[in-house]
Amino acid sequence: MIESVPTSRGIQGYSYTSVTLKKIATVIPAKLQRQNYFFWKLLFEQIFSRYKLMGIVDGSEPCPAQFLTDKEGNDLTDQINPAFEIWHDKDQAMLTWMRSTCSEHVLPFTAGLASSRELWLNLEKRFQVVGVSSEYRRNLAAAALATTDICDAHPDLLASGDLRLVPQVFQKYGKWQAFAGPVVTLKVFEDNTLVIELLSTKGEGRVLVVDGGGSMRRAVTGGMLARSAEIMGWAGIVINGCVRDVDEINECEIGLRALATCPVRPIKNDSGSGQKHVPVSIGGVLIHEGEWLYADGDGILVSSSELSI
């Protein structure tokens, strides 16, 4: 328990006083670095909204006056305003939560900041990345080629192996049935630290292909990561593993393929166990960084180069 927060003061619904630093550490899967700021922010927005604290950092719930006043409006400096005490306790709890999730490289940017809003705005000023528009995402989906047309137009590439069919073992999630783009590869096992790192950066219409070792024991992507991928402009995600928060994922304007769902969260490894930008094998099909992936309701194709029909 955060000792500075008196447990007798709760709020309607969820009580912020029940939040411990240990609980925050389980919700925020990686220490804040420059490259994962966007995902970190989304997670804290979810926490603050759940506990009705968002107004403190966005400025819509300003700090009440510190002292009560008399009939003439003069401060009674010996009488602390109870509303101020409650607001201040919440604010300092939030400041502690955020600082507890900062990496050693980010902590210096929190020095001397006395309120959660000051810290929130300072981090946003330093690390904020602008997401893409809804029109951009719609154009990504519209640009995807039909896999049947690709196969009909390029039988020679199918025969040579420059165009490969990925085995039909994936379930479909997300709003977009069809997506396409150059491939970015990851190889992980039940640890999504590197997935967070990449999906927090600009996608630029690319497709993240994650070899999760086919594990059915833990999910490596959930609703918040799908939301991050959507906002940052990733065209799609293909996971040789599991996802969770399916209802949230299905509300995202992105295409996602995974083997199945699993409610168990991934493990957390601050060192980011796994490999980036290496060849991965999905269902026996070798996929290299920079190749092109095309997916729709009929299947998934991987091409050595961008195709036209």
Side-chain angles (χ1 to χ4, degrees):
M1 183 67 64
I2 300 174
E3 296 179 357
S4 63
V5 181
T7 57
S8 61
R9 293 185 181 137
I11 54 178
Q12 185 177 4
Y14 297 105
S15 172
Y16 76 97
T17 60
S18 66
V19 180
T20 64
L21 291 181
K22 183 177 180 181
K23 183 181 291 187
I24 289 291
T26 63
V27 175
I28 308 298
K31 293 288 188 179
L32 173 61
Q33 307 273 359
R34 178 181 294 275
Q35 63 267 27
N36 66 2
Y37 166 76
F38 192 80
F39 183 61
W40 178 92
K41 181 184 177 184
L42 286 178
L43 289 174
F44 262 113
E45 286 178 341
Q46 185 180 58
I47 295 169
F48 293 156
S49 295
R50 179 181 185 186
Y51 293 95
K52 300 183 179 179
L53 300 168
M54 196 64 205
I56 293 178
V57 293
D58 70 16
S60 61
E61 185 184 340
C63 181
Q66 184 175 0
F67 302 105
L68 296 177
T69 58
D70 59 21
K71 293 181 180 180
E72 287 73 35
N74 300 313
D75 287 343
L76 302 173
T77 56
D78 60 339
Q79 296 185 39
I80 298 294
N81 183 356
F84 167 81
E85 287 190 302
I86 294 173
W87 187 96
H88 184 262
D89 288 339
K90 293 177 185 179
D91 174 63
Q92 292 305 296
M94 296 162 67
L95 184 63
T96 301
W97 297 346
M98 288 190 285
R99 277 184 171 150
S100 73
T101 64
C102 291
S103 70
E104 61 181 12
H105 303 295
V106 174
L107 273 175
F109 300 133
T110 73
L113 302 178
S115 73
S116 60
R117 177 165 168 78
E118 286 179 338
L119 176 56
W120 187 258
L121 293 177
N122 187 51
L123 293 176
E124 183 168 287
K125 179 180 179 181
R126 292 179 178 276
F127 302 140
Q128 176 70 351
V129 178
V130 179
V132 302
S133 65
S134 294
E135 182 180 3
Y136 178 89
R137 293 192 292 271
R138 287 192 294 269
N139 289 339
L140 281 181
L145 303 177
T147 56
T148 51
D149 291 342
I150 291 173
C151 290
D152 292 348
H154 299 286
D156 54 328
L157 298 181
L158 282 169
S160 69
D162 289 323
L163 179 63
R164 289 98 67 198
L165 174 65
V166 177
Q168 302 280 56
V169 294
F170 293 97
Q171 304 298 314
K172 303 179 183 69
Y173 307 101
K175 282 190 174 182
W176 301 144
Q177 282 285 307
F179 58 93
V183 167
V184 178
T185 59
L186 274 183
K187 192 170 187 178
V188 302
F189 188 74
E190 299 182 355
D191 177 352
N192 72 343
T193 306
L194 294 182
V195 181
I196 293 170
E197 178 184 321
L198 281 177
L199 292 182
S200 298
T201 62
K202 291 183 178 180
E204 299 176 332
R206 295 174 294 172
V207 176
L208 181 64
V209 177
V210 182
D211 180 4
S215 174
M216 307 295 279
R217 302 185 306 182
R218 293 178 180 272
V220 294
T221 298
M224 294 302 291
L225 273 174
R227 173 69 173 152
S228 179
E230 171 195 55
I231 294 173
M232 298 308 292
W234 290 83
I237 308 169
V238 177
I239 301 173
N240 182 28
C242 292
V243 296
R244 67 178 197 165
D245 307 320
V246 174
D247 291 342
E248 295 178 31
I249 292 173
N250 288 339
E251 291 299 313
C252 294
E253 293 181 330
I254 194 168
L256 194 153
R257 302 288 188 270
L259 297 179
T261 60
C262 178
V264 183
R265 70 176 64 193
I267 60 176
K268 175 176 127 179
N269 188 328
D270 290 338
S271 64
S273 63
Q275 296 174 285
K276 296 184 290 186
H277 316 309
V278 296
V280 296
S281 180
I282 308 292
V285 174
L286 194 63
I287 302 175
H288 296 269
E289 176 102 2
E291 293 190 306
W292 274 71
L293 185 142
Y294 300 87
D296 61 12
D298 288 311
I300 300 174
L301 296 170
V302 177
S303 170
S304 299
S305 59
E306 184 178 5
L307 300 175
S308 60
I309 53 176

